[in-house]
Amino acid sequence: MSNDAFEKLRDDVVKHLIENNISITCMESCTSGLVASMLTDTAGASAIFRGSLVTYANATKIAAGVDAKVIEQFGVYSEETAREMAQVVQKLYQTDVALGVTGSTGNVDPNNPDSVIGQVHYAILIKGRMNSFTYKPDVSALNRKEIKQLYAEEIFRSLYALLHLD
């Protein structure tokens, strides 16, 4: 997707949220707050963006409220953990939409045998309806920044579709 096309898609999502007074928040790990940052790139986003958490370490996820048993049973890199992240941040910020993002970028996590290079799990909770995804693009020629951008764009495409903007 070209930069211009992505910026239009992102703006369409945020403008839809603003026009419909739909609040949103994120709990991000591997994207390091990039999705939250992109949400605020559209003028007026303060009307609907409540805040976010960047929980890179497992201990930080757990301290924020993610159930340690979910991470232990399914692994930190799982749709189950992404769903738990979305639920925790939705409850914390009392929003209509909540995103949870976990995965690995350009290398295998030496502390976690479950990590897969270039695989992200994310969940989008919209007004009580949970949607979860796994995205595993070929990232072999990309650096970490490019991988995070790719993940964020995919998350926005899913959000666009779930909000029925297509």
Side-chain angles (χ1 to χ4, degrees), residues 42-76:
T42 301
S46 62
I48 49 88
F49 183 69
R50 299 289 181 259
S52 70
L53 299 175
V54 176
T55 56
Y56 216 66
N58 289 356
T60 309
K61 288 176 188 65
I62 294 165
V66 172
D67 188 340
K69 292 176 186 168
V70 171
I71 293 174
E72 183 180 313
Q73 182 177 356
F74 299 103
V76 69

Side-chain angles (χ1 to χ4, degrees), residues 107-126:
N107 60 296
V108 172
D109 181 344
N111 299 314
N112 192 320
D114 295 329
S115 68
V116 176
I117 295 173
Q119 181 171 283
V120 66
H121 304 280
Y122 61 98
I124 303 173
L125 178 60
I126 301 178

